[in-house]
Amino acid sequence: MRNEGEAVSLVLASLDADFMMDLTQGLQEHPQIKVIGFAQNGSAAIDRASKMAADAVLTEYALTDITANEMAKRLAEESPGTLVFAISENITAQLVQSAKAVGVKEIFPKNGFSAKETANRIAQMVDEQRREWSEVARTHGAVEKGTGPRGQKIKTEYVTRAITQSVIMTYNIKGGVGKTTIAVNLATAIKMSPYLSGQRVVLVDFDCGGSNVRLHCGLNDNECYNRNLSIWQYVEEGRTTAADMDDLLLDGPLGIKVLPAPMSKKEAEKINNNMELCEKVLRVLKKYFGIIVIDCAPNLSPMTDVAMDHATHILLIANPEGQAVKKLSELTLLLRKDEDNPDKPDMSHLLRKMRIVLNHKQPETKWDLKPSEIAENVGVPVFAEIPYSESVLRALHDNRCKQAVEIDGGSPFAVAIKQMANDLTGAYPEAVGGERSKRGGLFGKFFKKR
Ligand SMILES: Nc1ncnc2c1ncn2[C@@H]1O[C@H](COP(=O)(O)OP(=O)(O)OP(=O)(O)O)[C@@H](O)[C@H]1O
Ligand SMILES: [Mg+2]
């Protein structure tokens, strides 16, 4: 077995030979990946992988003779240590769960497939396995290929919710309520999900006045100067490829792609009012990403209008205090139909996408408004309640670029963010009907009875 960081040998399996050629070219740009064999059906792939002792197979989920699940089971017998990765056009939580239960390491979406991200993930997981095996060899003596540790116990209950594209925006006309904090942590929690880690996630900074996403993600200023929303003026829609996304976007936490806002005030103003450009950005990103999280500015602008139009979920971030709630009530009133004023445009289709996220950016006080009061005032349901957490401040001040949700995965803050990630995208199905329904348990720590 090779050591960490050394070459990763890969067998590709697909009926489509052209696709495999393109794939090879893209994957081999990664310094570790070496494609050592092709196969157009499952039995040939298994044969090649075992004879060549490949580190991994990347296969279409469904080949003519077998699926990736069966391939994983057979390779566990015939070539233990060869990891199986799959590509699928049609990913559901059930598919991912059943595949991972039998040892498929990851399923990547075929729509908007990124060779770079896939290569990174395969190399990372092969290296992880090498590390694990060398650790075992160190403590228990030499390990022959195939006698090392197998994956941990995996639950086999299935969740049938399909993974559909989500465009989630965080919003409030009031500043400083936690829009960026929630957007960044939510994107991170989705990418941390064992079911969605293969999905492509992009975090978009539509706050041209603030451009704070880069600070939360610890991005390099120079890179943000060079690659931000401004350069999308030159993007020719219709001629973009998944590889272009790697050039146009920056790398954020855990392989999340980030599109920062412009850094100069003049550029920022130009973009903020350029509805056509904002439309183009979201149309293109929707082609390549399953999950899009947009951090919006505390204003009503053409940019916000575009985001609201494309959003599948508009998260209204509120603090339990009068000002933040009043601003939201004004907004929802503006959107509501007025029977007495037929000329007022009816924007209730936007209202239907709105949910309140009650964010405690300060420790609770006796003057805090209750969720029911907030929901009544704004006329929109409270969807999640995020507790105050010092790890939010630690994440901002630490240079390790870890998000609060990563720092302590079991903290009430992290649990609340993951719960919200699940409600939006199905990222943590174990939480549904389990701990959550028994609010006295894990979630009961902060879901107080009101
Ligand atoms: N749940 C929380 N626990 C602790 N601190 C929080 C929490 N949410 C937000 N904060 C803190 O509140 C401040 C404002 O948060 P953030 O920058 O996310 O707000 P925003 O709405 O994006 O602001 P702006 O309108 O300026 O863009 C930050 O210092 C952040 O660290
Ligand atoms: Mg912000």
Side-chain angles (χ1 to χ4, degrees):
M1 167 144 313
R2 293 197 184 96
N3 295 317
E4 260 182 271
E6 290 182 359
V8 170
S9 55
L10 189 65
V11 168
L12 300 181
S14 166
L15 193 60
D16 182 348
D18 289 341
F19 177 59
M20 284 197 283
M21 292 316 288
D22 286 349
L23 208 56
T24 307
Q25 217 171 18
L27 294 170
Q28 292 203 147
E29 282 185 18
H30 190 287
Q32 278 177 272
I33 303 279
K34 302 277 171 285
V35 175
I36 57 164
F38 298 110
Q40 287 190 296
N41 60 50
S43 46
I46 291 167
D47 188 52
R48 242 144 264 174
S50 48
K51 282 199 180 123
M52 296 164 121
D55 290 309
V57 176
L58 176 61
T59 176
E60 296 264 12
Y61 180 80
L63 293 167
T64 45
D65 51 348
I66 58 173
T67 66
N69 292 12
E70 289 155 54
M71 192 186 293
K73 284 190 224 161
R74 294 222 0 227
L75 278 174
E77 296 298 323
E78 294 173 38
S79 179
T82 300
L83 304 185
V84 176
F85 296 86
I87 303 173
S88 168
E89 252 164 34
N90 205 355
I91 300 183
T92 63
Q94 181 180 17
L95 180 89
V96 177
Q97 210 164 9
S98 63
K100 289 198 171 180
V102 293
V104 174
K105 284 286 166 187
E106 197 68 277
I107 305 192
F108 303 103
K110 193 163 184 182
N111 296 331
F113 181 82
S114 159
K116 188 177 169 190
E117 250 185 80
T118 305
N120 283 344
R121 187 86 178 125
I122 293 175
Q124 180 206 354
M125 291 190 97
V126 168
D127 270 348
E128 256 168 37
Q129 169 164 284
R130 288 170 174 168
R131 201 173 316 136
E132 201 180 315
W133 285 38
S134 67
E135 189 61 28
V136 173
R138 222 163 37 80
T139 43
H140 301 290
V143 177
E144 286 305 314
K145 200 173 178 193
T147 59
R150 273 290 134 67
Q152 67 277 65
K153 261 178 105 183
I154 294 162
K155 289 188 182 170
T156 47
E157 70 219 41
Y158 297 133
V159 174
T160 49
R161 184 142 40 120
I163 296 168
T164 45
Q165 185 170 56
S166 297
V167 182
I168 304 161
M169 65 181 268
T170 54
Y171 186 62
N172 191 331
I173 314 177
K174 188 172 183 308
V177 290
K179 298 180 288 293
T180 310
T181 305
I182 304 286
V184 175
N185 279 285
L186 180 63
T188 308
I190 293 173
K191 195 71 182 168
M192 280 163 69
S193 149
Y195 308 106
L196 301 185
S197 51
Q199 285 289 313
R200 307 200 70 205
V201 179
V202 64
L203 184 57
V204 187
D205 193 348
F206 261 21
D207 182 357
C208 277
S211 71
N212 281 334
V213 170
R214 73 193 159 89
L215 300 177
H216 283 252
C217 295
L219 299 180
N220 175 292
D221 277 0
N222 280 340
E223 288 195 355
C224 293
Y225 263 113
N226 294 330
R227 278 186 282 175
N228 61 50
L229 282 166
S230 299
I231 55 166
W232 284 69
Q233 298 170 75
Y234 312 107
V235 170
E236 282 185 60
E237 194 177 350
R239 300 188 66 171
T240 54
T241 63
D244 292 337
M245 297 304 108
D246 294 330
D247 295 334
L248 289 164
L249 306 169
L250 298 181
D251 289 317
L254 307 175
I256 294 171
K257 292 286 174 185
V258 182
L259 176 48
M263 307 265 282
S264 93
K265 224 173 161 187
K266 208 167 133 213
E267 275 300 313
E269 246 163 57
K270 248 170 54 189
I271 302 293
N272 202 28
N273 292 311
N274 190 341
M275 218 158 174
E276 235 168 79
L277 177 98
C278 300
E279 279 283 356
K280 176 167 74 177
V281 168
L282 292 186
R283 271 198 309 263
V284 172
L285 292 179
K286 277 161 82 174
K287 268 175 40 190
Y288 300 104
F289 290 88
I291 312 279
I292 301 172
V293 179
I294 310 170
D295 179 30
C296 279
N299 60 28
L300 277 171
S301 64
M303 200 165 196
T304 316
D305 280 355
V306 173
M308 282 201 190
D309 240 17
H310 283 268
T312 53
H313 302 87
I314 302 171
L315 303 182
L316 302 177
I317 313 299
N319 303 139
E321 46 102 314
Q323 275 285 316
V325 173
K326 186 161 184 290
K327 288 280 183 199
L328 287 180
S329 321
E330 286 169 5
L331 170 76
T332 52
L333 190 67
L334 199 72
L335 300 176
R336 227 172 279 286
K337 198 170 145 187
D338 183 354
E339 301 293 352
D340 300 331
N341 181 4
D343 293 336
K344 182 171 177 256
D346 175 11
M347 309 292 265
S348 42
H349 65 286
L350 296 180
L351 270 174
R352 281 194 288 276
K353 299 196 270 188
M354 291 179 171
R355 299 285 177 274
I356 294 172
V357 173
L358 178 53
N359 178 37
H360 293 268
K361 69 166 194 167
Q362 265 147 12
E364 288 184 50
T365 72
K366 62 177 180 177
W367 291 283
D368 283 356
L369 294 172
K370 293 184 179 58
S372 55
E373 289 174 316
I374 298 173
E376 208 171 297
N377 256 301
V378 183
V380 166
V382 174
F383 173 70
E385 196 172 346
I386 311 297
Y388 171 79
S389 169
E390 288 204 356
S391 52
V392 172
L393 310 174
R394 212 173 106 199
L396 269 177
H397 294 286
D398 245 13
N399 285 331
R400 287 175 304 163
C401 305
K402 277 207 164 181
Q403 301 307 318
V405 71
E406 291 175 271
I407 290 176
D408 177 4
S411 70
F413 175 88
V415 172
I417 294 280
K418 287 178 188 169
Q419 179 64 64
M420 180 164 64
N422 182 63
D423 291 343
L424 292 165
T425 62
Y428 295 89
E430 294 81 25
V432 180
E435 288 88 343
R436 191 186 194 208
S437 57
K438 304 180 225 128
R439 287 207 165 159
L442 188 56
F443 291 92
K445 279 189 203 154
F446 54 89
F447 277 109
K448 292 204 196 87
K449 280 211 168 79
R450 311 258 170 177

